Amino acid sequence: MFKNYFKTIIRNLWRNKTNSFLNIFGLAIGIACAGLIFLWVEAETNYDSANLKKGRLYIVRNNQNYDAGIFTHSSTPGILAPSIKEEIPGIANASRITEDLDSKLFTIGDKSVYASGKYAETSLFNMFTLPFAAGDAGNAFTQIHSLVITEKTAKKFFPEDAIKGDDYKKYQNIIGKRVRVDNQQDYVVTGILKDLPENSSLQFEWLSPFEIYFQQSPWAHKWENSCLTTYVELDANAHPASINKTLYNYVQKRAPASISHLFLFAMNDWHLYDDFQNGKKSGGGRIEYVRLFSIIAWIILFIACINFMNLATAQSEKRAREVGVRKVLGAGKKSLIFQFIGEALFMTLLAAAVSFIIVSLVLPAFNTLVQKNLSTGLNNPIHLLAMLFIAIICGLIAGSYPSFYLSAFNPVFVLKGVKFKTGSAAFIRKGLVVLQFTISIILIIGTIIIYRQIQHIKNRSLGFNKDNLIEMNVQGDMQKHFSLIKQDLLNTGVIENVALADHETIYGGNNTDDFTWEGKTPGNKILISNRAVTPEYFSTNGIKIIEGRGLQINDSIEATATNLNGLNVVITQSFARLMGTGSAIGKSILSESNPADKATVVGVVNDYIYGDMYGKPDPVIFIELPSQYAKVMYLKIKPGNPEKALAQIASVMKKDNAAYPFDYRFVDDQFNQMFLSEMLISKLSRVFAALAIIISCLGLFGLAAYTAERRTREIGIRKVLGASVSGIASLLSKDFLKLV
């Protein structure tokens, strides 16, 4: 019986080649699209899965309550980790690590290489799964100037040693080698970690002992200052809710003025659910993209299945006699349903095989699009089972209606040649076409909305000019020789202006609620961002002074951002509005923690967007930058020839800061980087919306071809009577055009 069924399937496929091709190819495209999406979803949902203790690892989050709402971040006091490990039952281990990646210059012989990393405690190796290719966790940080690097970094630092011998020996040769960091201090390579997985939240090129950072950062020793990331590992039987109760007021008991309220945030949620609204997990975040594209995958599969159903029912008259003969010879309705479902499953399995070829061919381009390194992973049984599951589901959905429809034919009417009514089938077929194109058009509309929203945000007025603006890390003698470097750069004729700052313009920086002023309601917690900049900063970044004057060289007396110390300061419009009506020029800003300190407002600049490009401008105070706090240099190049400008800048930096290779970034590139997720969603939406339309059009083409075939005699008569080709094409198309 199965042999006969198989022969029938092959004969039908061969007899209806065009129809079979459209069915199989349409399903293959749908399954391939779904396969690519599910590979991406798998990578997203498996984030941090390489960590064996994933279920017990947490990051300590910090809720701070201001008048504008509760802000959630991961900065914690520098002395928190050892304290909670010792005092709170259930915490098995804790580790401190610096928040941001720190780019350092590493000199190996006559070669200099930049690499980014962090300062961390040894306990990090015991908590996270960080396997060593050479060395071990116990000896990693036994000496203060130690360096643990990844395999990729080892190949960058020591390319010759890293390619000799087997895996263990080639890295073992590197252990004990010395590298010079920032041309100041020699560090010893004490360990080499296997490269971090791509889907790991913890990323770095090197790690050094936390003690180095702690010794150089006196502010990190105070409970009032949140400046580090804290990871904790819980005991197997610990209750996070109970520990959170203890953590809530843990900082207040040691620093009563603090507004920090701490809580544990599980590693299982770091990547997908890292979105907090007013201090509470919103349930959104990256998971929204995962849900969105999972739905799109099933929608595309459904559209492909609709094609199958439409083409199968449209061909019903050709199969009617076969059904009639089988019924006369004793075939029951169930056996016919089984046969037609079997045909559908066979075709979907063929489509699945074709889809694998499609996925293999387009996966490199898809990886480039989503910036991942996905693979088909056919050695993974889960992938094979998933592909088989998708094929079976598609076969059952696509073959269900045709099988019940065909098996219901009356053999007497069929064999007598009596025309049977096809109105209900035609109505359903038209309904499916409408549904198919409705879904496709919805996808297109959604894609347009996403694209326009991104363009709106990217084209909104930022309050500063990011075009032709270059940013460089301040290194070596750039602080000490800034005046000389600035003059040499201006002398090239390709630079308009140069400035220093303590933080990057488009990202967040320092902020505090310590500022107060006349008219401010006592007890109000208003978060004010503070920036230390040189006087040229505003003109270099295109920030306009709208009242008063800018900063001058003598406006600072080596002050810090929260030690006002008689400063003249510049503020933004939003800060000026907080200070009440009338001009802000001449008004005083004081420190609540040190009322003797007082600053005077000498200028107001326009608001500018930073950090959250979708948000509104936050109030900012600018002070004149003491030289030792400079972290970044900004260069405004003249329009025209950026390649020439870069060559001139490189020449100046080679002369004035020879120990450090020229390294730079364009601010507009940084700006675009802030929209990577949104632009990825936009690109993926466009691709899959286009594919949904293509799949729908394949089905429509099949129906149109079948309609033309059925009306061959009518078309012949019309042409004999003088009908034109365009007229006949219009006649055949208008019914489908109405549906679309």
Side-chain angles (χ1 to χ4, degrees), residues 191-204:
I192 298 174
L193 297 172
K194 292 185 177 180
D195 284 332
L196 300 170
E198 191 179 69
N199 59 348
S200 171
S201 298
L202 189 64
Q203 295 289 341
F204 53 81

Side-chain angles (χ1 to χ4, degrees), residues 79-92:
I79 49 180
L80 176 71
S83 181
I84 60 176
K85 180 183 176 183
E86 181 180 342
E87 296 181 11
I88 300 180
I91 294 181

Side-chain angles (χ1 to χ4, degrees), residues 325-346:
V325 170
R326 285 185 179 277
K327 281 194 170 185
V328 167
L329 295 176
K333 187 173 182 178
K334 288 184 179 179
S335 65
L336 289 170
I337 291 173
F338 179 78
Q339 177 193 343
F340 293 126
I341 288 286
E343 286 185 19
L345 288 172
F346 180 78

Side-chain angles (χ1 to χ4, degrees), residues 462-471 496-501 503-506 533-544 606 608 622 632-636 667 670:
L462 299 175
F464 69 95
N465 188 356
K466 66 183 186 305
D467 298 330
N468 298 316
L469 187 62
I470 291 176
E471 181 183 286
E496 289 184 1
N497 217 333
V498 187
L500 294 176
H503 282 92
E504 296 170 297
T505 299
I506 66 172
V533 299
T534 55
E536 310 89 351
Y537 179 82
F538 303 115
S539 57
T540 303
N541 281 271
I543 298 174
K544 295 179 181 178
N606 60 272
Y608 72 99
F622 295 93
V632 287
M633 179 187 287
Y634 286 100
L635 294 78
K636 186 72 169 181
V667 173
Q670 288 180 302

Side-chain angles (χ1 to χ4, degrees), residues 152-287:
K152 190 180 293 184
T153 311
K155 293 170 185 174
K156 186 161 64 171
F157 285 3
F158 310 99
E160 294 182 359
D161 293 283
I163 60 175
K164 292 178 180 176
D166 57 39
D167 281 348
Y168 179 75
K169 284 185 179 178
K170 69 182 179 184
Y171 294 127
Q172 194 63 33
N173 293 336
I174 297 172
I175 300 297
K177 287 186 178 291
R178 292 181 173 272
V179 297
R180 196 158 188 81
V181 179
D182 281 342
N183 294 314
Q184 296 174 356
Q185 177 68 50
D186 285 345
Y187 281 61
V188 178
V189 178
T190 54
I192 298 174
L193 297 172
K194 292 185 177 180
D195 284 332
L196 300 170
E198 191 179 69
N199 59 348
S200 171
S201 298
L202 189 64
Q203 295 289 341
F204 53 81
E205 292 181 280
W206 56 264
L207 292 174
S208 267
F210 174 78
E211 195 61 32
I212 298 174
Y213 171 85
F214 209 50
Q215 289 177 4
Q216 298 172 352
S217 310
W219 58 85
H221 298 249
K222 298 179 181 180
W223 283 104
E224 294 86 351
N225 295 333
S226 296
C227 54
L228 291 166
T229 298
T230 303
Y231 296 118
V232 299
E233 174 192 342
L234 300 189
D235 290 327
N237 298 320
H239 297 288
S242 175
I243 295 173
N244 279 338
K245 288 180 181 178
T246 307
L247 281 175
Y248 185 77
N249 287 316
Y250 193 84
V251 178
Q252 279 75 16
K253 291 178 180 178
R254 290 147 183 83
S258 173
I259 58 172
S260 293
H261 296 286
L262 308 180
F263 65 96
L264 299 179
F265 184 49
M267 179 183 271
N268 288 324
D269 295 338
W270 289 359
H271 184 67
L272 293 179
Y273 297 93
D274 192 14
D275 183 65
F276 287 81
Q277 301 292 333
N278 207 30
K280 295 183 179 179
K281 196 165 66 171
S282 67
R286 194 77 175 176
I287 188 64

Side-chain angles (χ1 to χ4, degrees), residues 470 472 489 495 635 637 645-653 662:
I470 291 176
M472 298 167 54
L489 288 168
I495 304 297
L635 294 78
I637 64 175
L646 289 173
Q648 297 271 28
I649 297 167
S651 177
V652 170
M653 298 311 299
F662 175 50

